[in-house]
Amino acid sequence: MSHLPFPILIIVVPLISAFLMILLGWLRKSLCYLLLIFVLGITTLSSFMILEEVLWKGSIHYRLGGWLPPWGIEYVIDPLNGFVLLIVSTISLIIGITSKPMVEREFPERAIYFYCLYLLQITGLLGIVITGDLFNLYVFLEIASLAGYALIAIGEEGAPFASFNYMIYGTIGACFYLLGVGYLYIESGSLNMADLTKLLPGLLSSKVTLIAFAFFSVGIAIKMALFPLHVWLPDAYTYAPSTVSTLVAPLTTKVGAYVMIRVMVNVFPPTFFTETLPAALLLRWMAGLGILFGCLFALAQKDLKRMLGYVLIAEIGYIAMGIGFGNRNGLTGAILHIMNDGLMMACLFLFVGAITLKGWPRKIDQLQGLHQTMPLTSAAFVLSGLSVIGVPPTCGFFSKWYLVLGAIDAKQWLSAAILLASSLCNAILFFRVIEKAYFGKAGNEQRIERPILKRDEAPLIVLIPLWVLTLGVISLGLFSGTIISNIIHLTIPASF
Amino acid sequence: MTIELIIGKYNYWIYISLMMIGFYAMIAKKNLVKKLIGMNIFQTSIILFFISIGSKKGATIPIVEEGVKTIQANQYINPLPHVLMLTAIVVMVSTFGVALALLLLIYRKYHTLEEDEILNLRR
Amino acid sequence: MIKGIPPGFIYLLGALLVPFWKGRIKQVYLLLLGFLSLGNLILLETGRFWTIRFLNYDLILLHVDRLSMAMGMIFIGIGLLALLYSLHVQEDGQQVAALLYMGSSLGVIFSGDYFSLFFFWEIMAIASTFLIWYRKEKASLEAGFRYLLMHIIGGCILFTGIILHVVSTETVLLQSPAGSLASWLVLIGFGLNAAFLPLHTWLPDAYPEGTPTGSVFLSIFTTKTGVYALARCFSGTEWVAYMGGAMALFGVIYALLQNDIRRLISYHIISQVGYMVAGIGVGTALSTNGGIAHLINNLLYKTLLFMGMGSVIQMTGKKKLTELGGLATKMPFTCATCVIASLSISGAPGFNGFISKGMLLSAMAESNQPWLEWMLRLASVGTFLSFTKLCFFTFFAKNDRIEAKEASLNMCLAMVFVALLCLTLGLYPTILLSILPYPSAPYHAYTLSHVLGVFQLFLWTGLIFILAKNAFSPHAWIILDFDYFYRMAFKWMAWFFKGPLHGLRISIQEGCSRKVQGLIQFSKNPLVFIENPSKGGTKDYDENLYRKPMGLGVLLAILFLFFYSLIYLISS
Amino acid sequence: MEGTISIKPLLALGTSALAALLILLTGERRKNLREGWTLLASVIKFSIVASMIPAILQGKTLEWTLVELFPGVSFQFRVDSFGLFFATLASCLWIATSIYSIGYMRGLQSASQTRFFFCFALALHGALGIAFAGNLLTLFIFYEILTVSTFPLVAHKETEEAISGGRKYLAYLLTGATLIILAMGFTYTLSGNLNFKAGGFLKGHGTDPLLILIFFVFIIGFGTKAALMPLHEWLPTAMVAPTPVSALLHAVAVVKAGVFCVLRVILYVFGPQLLAELNLWLLLAYMASFTILVSGMFALAQDHLKRRLAFSTINNLAIIILGASLLSPSGITGSIFHIAAHGFMKITLFFVAGAIYVKTHKEKVNELDGIGKAMPVTMASFAIAALGISGIPPMAGFISKWYLCLGSLEAKEILFLFVLLGSALLDIAYFVPIIYHSFFKKPTGDPFPQVDEASLWMVAPIAICAIGSIVLGLFPNAIFHFFEIATLSAKNVLGVP
């Protein structure tokens, strides 16, 4: 029993505040934003404290209601949870700060509900990460997803349809996951992850376990939008309101990736995943194809946000590929990329949000002159774009580096080639945009006439978080050594 | 293929058939409401699956009467799946609710709920 | 005690200041430089000085012995006269080039190691090229380029030899190169400057195209440094001696066929250098002395000839024998000096050519080289013949259409001075003999047999000229030299680089960019290979056109589930 | 060899980074201040770099470690003799280029000058970082900074041609960069180490075929920047950039950085011993020789002055690589020295091309007949530099030629000596016609009616660089001790005392 209440605070505070938000909204609408920031601040603080404690004292076991596992729900926080928790809460805080002007511009009348859903979404995501119980994870998964469906549906013309589409797939994914849990329960009689870790090695030969694993593989793949089960993603993220896609894009899929690592590598014995079954092989293939597909289709897009959606699919491919290598370096790369990609995507989607805020179109062709009116914003885009390409010293390079090392360790030359080719593809993608934004005169496409190309920067409340993220993108790469040796290495199973 | 496999595990067969019906609806039906119903059937099948794995022959519901001192596990069916499914039902209901709201939005926008018509409209 | 500095430095550093002076001051400055180096020459002592550490080598910038001293004296002396001759030149660049040229050739003469020798060798080549280009005619530009190319090629060959030598001996000291390949390469390198056959083509090609004053400088230094270098490193190589003989004959024969006056003299340079090379190749003390003596004498009368012909060209604007004539009265000084020079070169007694030619012939006889001796004698016949022709057709043949004035004062002064030198050395050969490298090889010029031999030769030659005057009269024909093949080779190479090779590069590039264009088109719509739903052909990708019903995705999910389960079940 | 801890490398790098920032902040409004920053930074940076020379000459190395990136590899600067050589060259020529580019950009009244100066400072930052990097990863970080910061410079004119040139540049270089990641990954997997060590650290790791593979991946990777054929095509295309950029690109920072990296790989990662054992040096030398000759031939066919210079650059870069691949003391010395020699001479040539463009807007070789009269100092500098590149004394090119040829004989491969001399001949063949046409050819009419020398901002750097290439030839150890440092590096690499 932990003496610190943080593990429960981090779930309960946003959950309760979500409902308080509506009450507060009836009283004073203007306070909602402050409440949001306050709550997100608390969660960030808590996750920070949790991570610190985990790193100093080892895993935290927090039992809800005092029930002993395997009957009660237990929150187990090891360095992996702690790390992802911190990523999720920090990014959500930063995005939360920026939400105000975007909400006011796009849907001011629905602000209260937005904030409420926002908190629910965060509750779900944090819950997924923090829980040590498989079923509880399902519940949080659905909380996050439901909030996500609703949030996405706020968006522009195609949003409800995209959201419905997302919901069908999401539900199937979640249900598959639930079935997997059910099969595991049949076999082992336990839902607790720590318990299962102990029980499962004896049960691996059973067909039921195999089927459970298959359900997990597909279910989680749908949730994390792994190719070819990604079909929901581009539409949903394109049509979502900018602040929503800024929140959902970096986090939801990353949390999905976390679940994949947790289930496949932690709950099941790692050798089961890499050696007994060709699961790692399949994952690598899916990831490799996904990377190529994502890059290729991103190239074909004309809409900046949609392009980023496809880039995201490729990025998910990276993480999956890292897991699929089934070795220390690969997994390090995958976990590091969860953080890095979270930052990069937040930064990029926030950029899109910022330019939409100032009335710029999202069409890549129409960005001429952007750097004159919004120099700082576009500079942030350039830097995070470079990170996606994998230009050092930005953080994107380091995850790519570990992934390549993993590929070399696993002797997966094709995968290595795909990783490298995709960074070239990314270069084309981002320099295409940069070129338009900075060297706009060349295009013979119709240039939108902007009579005054005066500086018209995004508001500070967006700009500062954007640059905080950008600085993170630039500088975290240099500290990746510290992060890896102090945190990520603790999360990797000993057998790797 | 023994008769036991069919009869003895009928609960699984039912769950699988329900699930397939749900899938069929989701895949083949053009109408979004029908798709949604398919999804609901699919979810219900999962509930059935969970409930059935918790059941035992001759056991009763897991409510301990007052005053009973010793609990014999084989007299009660496993309570945990029930508990889980209570939660799951809540989740599913809310999903359904959200979905209906979405359909409402879609209908307002396109004045139809037929998927192919919507796709055509957006071309 | 004031020690001398390396003589080349005076000119090399002096050249840098030329652009800062104007008009009369510049002329004084130039002459001052000449006298300064003359004075410096007196201060030089025998030995090795100015050893400096450069890179990993100890370079000797001032290596003085009798050979280099003799060369230095004549170079500086004649250089001063050449400067005097070219005082009227206005262009700074030309003066700078001339000074650099002189300085670097002096650098070659006085350097005691291969590194600095080569260093100055290359500067010499470049600087001299500018003297050709300054004429600014299209022909001279191209000829200069060919000249430069030849010299750079020669430089490269020499360089290879030197490097081979340096690597095998680990020293850069100037000595006979070690190793047969190295010595062949160095020999060829030196030989190109000394106009060995068939590497001589640069000489008659470029010298006639130089500026009038520039040609004077050109005729002085380049070939003579070659001869010097041969004397330093290849004295006594029989092969070289025969090359010399061949050059002497070849030059004369081609000279006889020329129409352009400066080209005629140019071929004579080859011939005269042949004498020297032969002397050096034989390698006895007397023959080497003879070679160097001939070098000195040749410098005097050949410079005089170039000066004279330069004046003629400058004054008349014509340079073909067929167009000239009758200048004897109009340019008396020029005429007189030219006749003196012609007599000198032909080796008439009383003129300096007589002394050195005699030395060479006696040396040949002494060392039992009858073939060489006869080759040189035959060349002498040709020399006399061609100079009779030159003087006759330039100055004495009838030509009424020509108009000319006497050359300017500085030119005449220089010419007269050189002519006097020719005579002095011819009449008082001891002056000449005292500075030669081997003081131990005595020679008496005016013996009866020598004088008689020469007169005999002159008589016969004169007879031939008078009898066959028409045959020798100038014709405007083109004479094929080895030149032709070199030019063709260069032309073909240039054509190949600019035509097929360039075309290949362009076509590869275009092929690549077409491929890239195709890729770009593909990337705009990766689904081109799949049927386009809106039957409009391949358009850019549009998500609305390609959006599939959501049932497809659901199906995909189930298929994947099935697929995964199957694989897991099979593989476990 | 123990490194002395010193903050100087960091300071030197910080200077240019700070300058870039200040330039960006100052912006278009206060031009003088902005350009003042450039000049100030270049001078400060140069003095910091120069102040490290004495310590290096004493055989020390200066180190500064920032942060450990992963086990065994830190973000670390280590200044050794080779690195300092390049850094001195780059920072020294940056001063010249800054002065020149002020003249150039003002002369052309070019747009987006802030971007230009910003990227310029950043590119120099990258170049210096490459020079000071203590391991492959740090090197790669700055390599990429250099690549990316040069893209806006190439595309500066914002015309269709400029942008496509920029694209080509990026396409080539980023492809190369990804290969480098792969090669680094292999290296790290094999040896668990990426720190440069004079004489290499890969010996004794991995199998021969794998090492050969790594080597070629490295060479192809870095070879794109060093414009090794057939990876050179970006370079002539990148000539659309403004001339100071071309000068920087082709004389100092970018391509030299590529060559520097190749040399680092040859000498400090693989090491002479390993390369000799695997016989890889010969292969590399053949590759370089091919490039040398073919690029020389290509250069002959170019009408565009800057393009001709570009091919000449390709040629010279390959010469540097050839020299290093010979693995002999003189070869390595010559090759390192040639980095500086070529730097000074080629930057002069580009400056001249730029000065001509600013004054006359002419870029073709055959349009320059008679320009020597109008711009005598400029064209004289051109002549000096061009002849120097051909290896004519007293210019610096001669010294490098001498040592390179010595090197080829020390390696017992006289073939490469012929290659080097052949390239010198080709140099003469394509440079000299420009010289005599510009000075002596009588053009029809007066093609340059009112042309005189460009502004002092431009002529001064031109003349200084031209004189510099002569001074470097006559006194190769003067001021910067270039030759001594080159010899020192060669000794370190070969392990000769």
Side-chain angles (χ1 to χ4, degrees), chain C residues 34-60:
Chain C
F35 283 114
L36 203 63
S37 48
L38 206 60
N40 178 51
L41 198 61
I42 297 163
L43 294 174
L44 295 182
E45 294 168 17
T46 313
R48 292 175 170 175
F49 310 101
W50 283 72
T51 309
I52 57 159
R53 184 81 187 157
F54 188 72
L55 308 175
N56 304 334
Y57 303 112
D58 289 315
L59 303 186
I60 301 156

Short mmCIF file of all heavy atoms in Angstrom, two decimals, chain C residues 34-60:
data_model
loop_
_atom_site.label_atom_id
_atom_site.label_comp_id
_atom_site.label_asym_id
_atom_site.label_seq_id
_atom_site.Cartn_x
_atom_site.Cartn_y
_atom_site.Cartn_z
N GLY C 34 68.15 45.57 -63.66
CA GLY C 34 69.16 44.86 -64.44
C GLY C 34 70.55 45.08 -63.87
O GLY C 34 71.30 44.12 -63.65
N PHE C 35 70.85 46.34 -63.57
CA PHE C 35 72.19 46.63 -63.07
C PHE C 35 72.38 46.06 -61.67
O PHE C 35 73.48 45.61 -61.32
CB PHE C 35 72.44 48.14 -63.08
CG PHE C 35 72.74 48.65 -64.45
CD1 PHE C 35 71.89 49.51 -65.11
CD2 PHE C 35 73.88 48.20 -65.12
CE1 PHE C 35 72.15 49.95 -66.39
CE2 PHE C 35 74.15 48.65 -66.40
CZ PHE C 35 73.29 49.52 -67.04
N LEU C 36 71.30 46.11 -60.91
CA LEU C 36 71.38 45.57 -59.55
C LEU C 36 71.78 44.11 -59.60
O LEU C 36 72.67 43.66 -58.85
CB LEU C 36 70.01 45.71 -58.89
CG LEU C 36 69.99 45.73 -57.37
CD1 LEU C 36 70.75 46.94 -56.88
CD2 LEU C 36 68.57 45.75 -56.88
N SER C 37 71.16 43.37 -60.50
CA SER C 37 71.50 41.94 -60.53
C SER C 37 72.88 41.73 -61.11
O SER C 37 73.58 40.79 -60.74
CB SER C 37 70.45 41.14 -61.29
OG SER C 37 70.19 41.77 -62.49
N LEU C 38 73.29 42.64 -61.97
CA LEU C 38 74.66 42.54 -62.49
C LEU C 38 75.64 42.74 -61.33
O LEU C 38 76.62 41.99 -61.20
CB LEU C 38 74.87 43.61 -63.56
CG LEU C 38 75.93 43.33 -64.62
CD1 LEU C 38 75.59 42.06 -65.37
CD2 LEU C 38 76.03 44.50 -65.58
N GLY C 39 75.34 43.74 -60.51
CA GLY C 39 76.20 43.98 -59.36
C GLY C 39 76.20 42.81 -58.42
O GLY C 39 77.23 42.39 -57.88
N ASN C 40 75.00 42.27 -58.21
CA ASN C 40 74.85 41.14 -57.31
C ASN C 40 75.69 39.96 -57.78
O ASN C 40 76.26 39.22 -56.99
CB ASN C 40 73.37 40.77 -57.24
CG ASN C 40 73.12 39.57 -56.36
OD1 ASN C 40 73.58 39.55 -55.24
ND2 ASN C 40 72.42 38.60 -56.88
N LEU C 41 75.78 39.85 -59.08
CA LEU C 41 76.52 38.72 -59.66
C LEU C 41 77.98 38.75 -59.21
O LEU C 41 78.60 37.72 -58.94
CB LEU C 41 76.44 38.82 -61.19
CG LEU C 41 76.76 37.57 -61.99
CD1 LEU C 41 75.79 36.48 -61.62
CD2 LEU C 41 76.65 37.88 -63.46
N ILE C 42 78.50 39.96 -59.08
CA ILE C 42 79.90 40.11 -58.71
C ILE C 42 80.11 39.60 -57.28
O ILE C 42 81.15 39.04 -56.95
CB ILE C 42 80.32 41.58 -58.84
CG1 ILE C 42 80.19 42.00 -60.31
CG2 ILE C 42 81.74 41.79 -58.35
CD1 ILE C 42 80.18 43.48 -60.51
N LEU C 43 79.09 39.78 -56.46
CA LEU C 43 79.24 39.42 -55.06
C LEU C 43 79.19 37.91 -54.83
O LEU C 43 79.48 37.44 -53.74
CB LEU C 43 78.13 40.07 -54.23
CG LEU C 43 78.18 41.60 -54.16
CD1 LEU C 43 76.97 42.12 -53.46
CD2 LEU C 43 79.45 42.05 -53.45
N LEU C 44 78.75 37.17 -55.86
CA LEU C 44 78.54 35.74 -55.65
C LEU C 44 79.86 35.02 -55.48
O LEU C 44 80.84 35.32 -56.15
CB LEU C 44 77.77 35.13 -56.82
CG LEU C 44 76.36 35.63 -57.00
CD1 LEU C 44 75.70 34.90 -58.16
CD2 LEU C 44 75.57 35.41 -55.74
N GLU C 45 79.84 34.07 -54.55
CA GLU C 45 81.02 33.23 -54.37
C GLU C 45 80.64 31.80 -54.68
O GLU C 45 79.48 31.42 -54.58
CB GLU C 45 81.51 33.30 -52.92
CG GLU C 45 82.02 34.65 -52.52
CD GLU C 45 82.20 34.73 -51.02
OE1 GLU C 45 82.24 33.66 -50.38
OE2 GLU C 45 82.30 35.85 -50.52
N THR C 46 81.63 31.01 -55.00
CA THR C 46 81.35 29.62 -55.29
C THR C 46 80.93 28.91 -54.00
O THR C 46 81.51 29.15 -52.94
CB THR C 46 82.58 28.93 -55.87
OG1 THR C 46 83.12 29.78 -56.87
CG2 THR C 46 82.25 27.58 -56.42
N GLY C 47 79.93 28.05 -54.13
CA GLY C 47 79.49 27.30 -52.95
C GLY C 47 77.97 27.24 -52.91
O GLY C 47 77.29 27.62 -53.88
N ARG C 48 77.48 26.72 -51.79
CA ARG C 48 76.02 26.60 -51.64
C ARG C 48 75.56 27.49 -50.52
O ARG C 48 75.99 27.36 -49.38
CB ARG C 48 75.66 25.15 -51.33
CG ARG C 48 75.92 24.25 -52.50
CD ARG C 48 75.68 22.83 -52.15
NE ARG C 48 75.71 22.04 -53.38
CZ ARG C 48 75.64 20.73 -53.40
NH1 ARG C 48 75.50 20.06 -52.27
NH2 ARG C 48 75.68 20.10 -54.54
N PHE C 49 74.67 28.39 -50.83
CA PHE C 49 74.17 29.32 -49.83
C PHE C 49 72.65 29.30 -49.84
O PHE C 49 72.05 28.63 -50.65
CB PHE C 49 74.65 30.73 -50.14
CG PHE C 49 76.14 30.79 -50.38
CD1 PHE C 49 76.63 30.86 -51.65
CD2 PHE C 49 77.01 30.75 -49.30
CE1 PHE C 49 77.99 30.90 -51.88
CE2 PHE C 49 78.37 30.78 -49.53
CZ PHE C 49 78.86 30.86 -50.82
N TRP C 50 72.14 30.09 -48.93
CA TRP C 50 70.68 30.25 -48.87
C TRP C 50 69.98 28.90 -48.74
O TRP C 50 69.03 28.62 -49.46
CB TRP C 50 70.17 31.00 -50.10
CG TRP C 50 70.43 32.44 -49.99
CD1 TRP C 50 71.64 33.05 -50.09
CD2 TRP C 50 69.49 33.47 -49.74
NE1 TRP C 50 71.53 34.38 -49.92
CE2 TRP C 50 70.21 34.69 -49.70
CE3 TRP C 50 68.11 33.50 -49.52
CZ2 TRP C 50 69.60 35.89 -49.47
CZ3 TRP C 50 67.51 34.71 -49.31
CH2 TRP C 50 68.25 35.89 -49.27
N THR C 51 70.51 28.10 -47.85
CA THR C 51 69.84 26.84 -47.61
C THR C 51 68.68 27.11 -46.65
O THR C 51 68.90 27.59 -45.54
CB THR C 51 70.80 25.84 -46.97
OG1 THR C 51 71.97 25.82 -47.76
CG2 THR C 51 70.19 24.47 -46.90
N ILE C 52 67.49 26.83 -47.12
CA ILE C 52 66.34 27.08 -46.24
C ILE C 52 65.56 25.80 -46.04
O ILE C 52 65.57 24.91 -46.88
CB ILE C 52 65.39 28.17 -46.81
CG1 ILE C 52 64.92 27.76 -48.20
CG2 ILE C 52 66.05 29.51 -46.81
CD1 ILE C 52 63.67 28.46 -48.60
N ARG C 53 64.91 25.75 -44.89
CA ARG C 53 64.08 24.59 -44.58
C ARG C 53 62.70 24.87 -45.12
O ARG C 53 62.04 25.82 -44.69
CB ARG C 53 64.05 24.41 -43.07
CG ARG C 53 63.31 23.19 -42.59
CD ARG C 53 64.16 21.96 -42.69
NE ARG C 53 63.37 20.76 -42.38
CZ ARG C 53 63.71 19.57 -42.80
NH1 ARG C 53 64.79 19.37 -43.51
NH2 ARG C 53 62.96 18.52 -42.48
N PHE C 54 62.29 24.09 -46.09
CA PHE C 54 60.96 24.30 -46.65
C PHE C 54 60.26 22.94 -46.64
O PHE C 54 60.82 21.96 -47.15
CB PHE C 54 61.09 24.81 -48.08
CG PHE C 54 59.79 25.22 -48.69
CD1 PHE C 54 59.16 26.37 -48.28
CD2 PHE C 54 59.20 24.45 -49.67
CE1 PHE C 54 57.96 26.75 -48.85
CE2 PHE C 54 57.99 24.82 -50.23
CZ PHE C 54 57.38 25.98 -49.82
N LEU C 55 59.08 22.89 -46.04
CA LEU C 55 58.40 21.62 -45.86
C LEU C 55 59.36 20.65 -45.16
O LEU C 55 59.89 20.98 -44.13
CB LEU C 55 57.93 21.07 -47.22
CG LEU C 55 57.12 22.05 -48.05
CD1 LEU C 55 56.80 21.49 -49.39
CD2 LEU C 55 55.84 22.43 -47.31
N ASN C 56 59.62 19.51 -45.77
CA ASN C 56 60.54 18.58 -45.12
C ASN C 56 61.90 18.59 -45.77
O ASN C 56 62.68 17.66 -45.60
CB ASN C 56 59.98 17.16 -45.19
CG ASN C 56 58.61 17.09 -44.60
OD1 ASN C 56 58.28 17.91 -43.75
ND2 ASN C 56 57.81 16.14 -45.04
N TYR C 57 62.18 19.61 -46.53
CA TYR C 57 63.41 19.57 -47.31
C TYR C 57 64.32 20.74 -46.98
O TYR C 57 63.87 21.80 -46.56
CB TYR C 57 63.09 19.62 -48.80
CG TYR C 57 62.18 18.52 -49.24
CD1 TYR C 57 60.89 18.79 -49.65
CD2 TYR C 57 62.61 17.20 -49.20
CE1 TYR C 57 60.05 17.77 -50.02
CE2 TYR C 57 61.77 16.18 -49.57
CZ TYR C 57 60.49 16.47 -49.98
OH TYR C 57 59.66 15.46 -50.34
N ASP C 58 65.60 20.52 -47.23
CA ASP C 58 66.54 21.62 -47.19
C ASP C 58 66.76 22.06 -48.62
O ASP C 58 67.36 21.35 -49.42
CB ASP C 58 67.87 21.17 -46.57
CG ASP C 58 67.71 20.93 -45.10
OD1 ASP C 58 67.08 21.78 -44.43
OD2 ASP C 58 68.18 19.89 -44.61
N LEU C 59 66.27 23.24 -48.92
CA LEU C 59 66.40 23.71 -50.29
C LEU C 59 67.62 24.62 -50.40
O LEU C 59 67.92 25.39 -49.49
CB LEU C 59 65.16 24.49 -50.71
CG LEU C 59 63.86 23.75 -50.61
CD1 LEU C 59 62.75 24.59 -51.20
CD2 LEU C 59 63.93 22.42 -51.33
N ILE C 60 68.32 24.48 -51.52
CA ILE C 60 69.49 25.34 -51.75
C ILE C 60 69.11 26.31 -52.84
O ILE C 60 68.94 25.93 -54.00
CB ILE C 60 70.69 24.50 -52.17
CG1 ILE C 60 70.99 23.50 -51.08
CG2 ILE C 60 71.89 25.38 -52.45
CD1 ILE C 60 71.73 22.29 -51.56
#
